Amino acid sequence: MHEIKCPHCGQTFTIDEAGYADIVQQVRNAEFQQELHERLERADEDQKKALELAEAKAASELQKAASSKDAEIQELKAKLEAGSMQQKLAVTEALATIEKERETLAIELAQAKQEKQSAVELAEAKALAELQKAAAAKDSEIQELKAKLDSIDTAKKLELAEALATVEKERDELKSGLEKVELEKQLAEKSLKDKYETQIKDREEQIERLRDLKAKLSTKMVGETLEQHCEIEFNKIRATAFPRAYFEKDNDARTGSKGDYIFRDSDEAGTEIVSIMFEMKNENDTTATKHRNEDFLKELDKDRTEKGCEYAVLVSLLEPENEYYNTGIVDISHRYPKMYVIRPQFFIQMITLLRNAALNSLKYKTELALVKAQNIDITNFENELDAFKSAFGKNYDLASRRFQTAIDEIDKSIDHLQKTRDALLGTNRNLRLANDKAQDVTIKKLTKGNPTMAQKFAELEPGKSSEDE
């Protein structure tokens, strides 16, 4: 038997071994569940802190990597834009050379004319001044001789006449020399004028031929279409300049429209270097309605996007008098991305320029591909982190449900203990009442109303007294 003291009322009561063992087991289970609950809470807090730390560290590393890659991408973009600008400037300078030569020649001609005119005028003025001076001197001398001739005798007159003839002859020679100088000046001016006029005429004819080439097909295109011309020109150099290139007509009209030709070139590893969507427009192909280059740009940009090409080029003979398109390669990327308008004579040069620019940027494309792969790795890491979070959440939810089940069981045990306590308290109350009743029992009360029992107890009293004595 075991005595148990109630912690609430302080009363002590006795229970048997089985009841005591059951209560001890219940108390141990409650302590175990309490300790388990506390350990689960600590483990949950530790797990949350570790997860938050891992998330913060991963976010920091991702932010650092993203910032680094953004800086590299911006640097690569700046290099690509710088390279593109240099190429545009080189093309513009190359196309403007002939105009600069013409302007230089015109300036040189004007300067030469001015210098020649100044030199001739100076020489003429100098020669004229000398001749006039000499003539004046001779005239003065002749007048003096005439005066002397009048005052001397006949012999002297003859001598003076001879001297006069000599002076007049020298004067005539001087006049003849002056006329010769004047003639030489005129001949030199005419020769210089003819020379520069011939050069100017040649330059004008050359410029006119260039303008003709910008506005019309070459002589080899007589009887051919613009598309045939471009295809023939490309096939001439395909084997040597573009051995791995693809240049064929665009026959895919599934999207409702198509371009004329698609050019694609790749390296030895099969990596695409550059791709171009070409559209050819010839004024001769039109009817009375005259089209403009602007009419075809939007559709060309759509074809480039649908066929996955990097660049779009309009090879056009439209608007032959428009100097904007006659200057050479016209970049209209401000309207549509990576789009150009050219005349047929720049067809091969355009492909070469874009291909060479793409070769220079291939290394950057490779680096960008590596960056994208790293970004994919980061994305995979984030996905794996999300998967871990999801799995951890499921495990946590399961543990939480089981924990709640344990708490419910503990509550049930507590309720059972409470009922047992109430039952024990009720038993104690009954035992106390029974004890009070037992203590209150006397022979007088037991024999009250029972004469027979009273007599029996009365008879036993003297004997009890004797025995006591």
Side-chain angles (χ1 to χ4, degrees):
M1 301 295 287
H2 294 275
E3 292 184 353
I4 296 177
K5 184 178 181 179
C6 178
H8 297 284
C9 63
Q11 186 176 355
T12 303
F13 56 92
T14 305
I15 59 175
D16 57 8
E17 293 290 341
Y20 180 78
D22 184 50
I23 292 174
V24 169
Q25 182 66 30
Q26 291 180 8
V27 171
R28 286 180 178 175
N29 289 340
E31 292 176 350
F32 174 76
Q33 293 294 337
Q34 178 66 24
E35 183 178 359
L36 176 63
H37 177 67
E38 292 175 355
R39 288 187 179 182
L40 286 175
E41 286 182 347
R42 287 197 297 271
D44 186 35
E45 290 295 328
D46 292 342
Q47 187 67 33
K48 285 183 179 178
K49 291 179 180 178
L51 183 59
E52 290 175 357
L53 181 61
E55 288 179 350
K57 185 176 180 181
S60 176
E61 292 178 353
L62 289 175
Q63 182 65 29
K64 184 177 179 181
S67 301
S68 176
K69 296 305 177 185
D70 287 340
E72 291 180 7
I73 291 172
Q74 292 300 324
E75 183 179 357
L76 293 176
K77 286 183 177 179
K79 290 181 179 178
L80 287 174
E81 291 175 358
S84 176
M85 182 60 68
Q86 290 175 356
Q87 291 165 2
K88 291 177 184 177
L89 291 175
V91 170
T92 304
E93 291 175 359
L95 294 174
T97 301
I98 188 66
E99 293 294 340
K100 288 183 178 179
E101 289 181 358
R102 179 190 176 189
E103 293 175 1
T104 303
L105 184 60
I107 293 172
E108 290 177 355
L109 175 59
Q111 290 177 348
K113 283 184 177 180
Q114 184 66 30
E115 292 174 358
K116 184 65 178 178
Q117 182 68 24
S118 300
V120 169
E121 289 177 356
L122 182 61
E124 182 180 357
K126 186 176 180 181
L128 183 60
E130 291 178 353
L131 290 173
Q132 288 177 349
K133 184 177 179 181
K138 295 299 179 182
D139 287 339
S140 177
E141 188 178 351
I142 291 170
Q143 292 299 327
E144 290 178 359
L145 291 173
K146 285 182 177 180
K148 289 180 180 180
L149 185 62
D150 293 336
S151 60
I152 60 176
D153 56 12
T154 305
K156 292 292 185 180
K157 287 181 180 180
L158 182 59
E159 184 179 348
L160 290 173
E162 291 176 358
L164 180 60
T166 302
V167 173
E168 289 177 349
K169 182 180 179 181
E170 291 177 356
R171 184 189 64 184
D172 294 338
E173 288 176 354
L174 288 173
K175 288 181 178 180
S176 176
L178 181 60
E179 292 174 356
K180 184 178 181 181
V181 169
E182 182 69 23
L183 181 60
E184 288 176 353
K185 183 195 77 168
Q186 293 176 358
L187 290 174
E189 287 180 352
K190 186 176 184 302
S191 175
L192 184 63
K193 182 179 179 181
D194 292 342
K195 175 184 175 183
Y196 282 102
E197 284 180 352
T198 302
Q199 290 183 357
I200 291 174
K201 184 178 179 181
D202 291 341
R203 291 294 181 180
E204 292 289 347
E205 290 176 354
Q206 185 178 1
I207 292 170
E208 193 60 33
R209 283 196 301 271
L210 289 174
R211 287 179 177 172
D212 251 12
L213 286 175
K214 292 178 181 178
K216 300 178 181 179
L217 300 175
S218 66
T219 55
K220 294 184 179 181
M221 287 188 61
V222 177
E224 300 173 354
T225 66
L226 181 56
E227 294 180 10
Q228 290 173 339
H229 165 73
C230 292
E231 186 172 1
I232 291 171
E233 290 298 313
F234 180 80
N235 287 333
K236 287 179 181 179
I237 62 170
R238 181 196 289 265
T240 56
F242 307 101
R244 291 181 295 274
Y246 168 89
F247 182 73
E248 302 293 340
K249 285 188 67 66
D250 180 16
N251 296 317
D252 184 6
R254 289 176 297 178
T255 59
S257 65
K258 62 184 183 67
D260 287 331
Y261 281 88
I262 293 178
F263 171 86
R264 298 183 188 276
D265 198 7
S266 57
D267 60 12
E268 295 178 356
T271 303
E272 184 175 287
I273 299 173
V274 65
S275 57
I276 309 171
M277 170 64 71
F278 281 103
E279 183 77 15
M280 284 77 170
K281 291 300 175 184
N282 189 344
E283 188 68 64
N284 296 329
D285 295 334
T286 62
T287 57
T289 304
K290 298 294 183 181
H291 291 289
R292 300 183 306 135
N293 292 318
E294 180 73 21
D295 301 336
F296 303 96
L297 301 182
K298 184 177 180 180
E299 190 70 19
L300 177 57
D301 181 66
K302 177 184 175 185
D303 294 336
R304 178 190 71 85
T305 304
E306 291 177 348
K307 302 305 166 58
C309 293
E310 184 178 1
Y311 294 95
V313 177
L314 176 63
V315 184
S316 172
L317 286 171
L318 306 179
E319 303 181 67
E321 303 302 325
N322 192 330
E323 287 300 321
Y324 178 62
Y325 295 108
N326 289 339
T327 55
I329 298 175
V330 179
D331 182 0
I332 52 173
S333 299
H334 60 283
R335 295 284 310 281
Y336 299 96
K338 296 187 176 182
M339 182 177 291
Y340 300 89
V341 178
I342 63 173
R343 294 304 188 191
Q345 62 268 23
F346 299 108
F347 174 68
I348 297 299
Q349 291 90 326
M350 189 70 212
I351 295 178
T352 304
L353 285 172
L354 294 180
R355 179 176 177 271
N356 291 340
L359 281 173
N360 293 332
S361 63
L362 184 60
K363 181 178 70 175
Y364 303 121
K365 288 183 179 179
T366 304
E367 293 179 359
L368 287 175
L370 179 60
V371 171
K372 290 180 180 178
Q374 292 174 350
N375 289 336
I376 292 174
D377 292 340
I378 293 173
T379 303
N380 292 335
F381 173 77
E382 291 177 347
N383 293 336
E384 291 177 359
L385 182 61
D386 292 338
F388 168 76
K389 289 180 180 178
S390 178
F392 182 81
K394 290 180 181 178
N395 293 335
Y396 175 80
D397 185 60
L398 180 60
S400 178
R401 288 200 300 271
R402 292 183 177 178
F403 182 75
Q404 186 62 41
T405 302
I407 291 176
D408 293 340
E409 293 297 327
I410 292 172
D411 290 339
K412 290 178 182 179
S413 298
I414 292 173
D415 185 58
H416 180 70
L417 287 173
Q418 185 66 37
K419 290 180 180 179
T420 303
R421 176 179 178 277
D422 293 340
L424 290 173
L425 289 175
T427 302
N428 180 56
R429 187 167 54 252
N430 291 327
L431 289 173
R432 180 172 52 80
L433 292 174
N435 183 59
D436 291 341
K437 289 180 180 180
Q439 295 295 328
D440 195 39
V441 172
T442 62
I443 294 175
K444 184 178 180 180
K445 289 182 178 180
L446 289 174
T447 58
K448 184 180 180 179
N450 193 339
T452 302
M453 293 301 297
Q455 184 181 358
K456 293 291 185 182
F457 279 108
E459 291 176 355
L460 293 174
E461 286 295 329
K464 185 177 181 181
S465 300
S466 298
E467 292 174 357
D468 293 336
E469 292 176 359

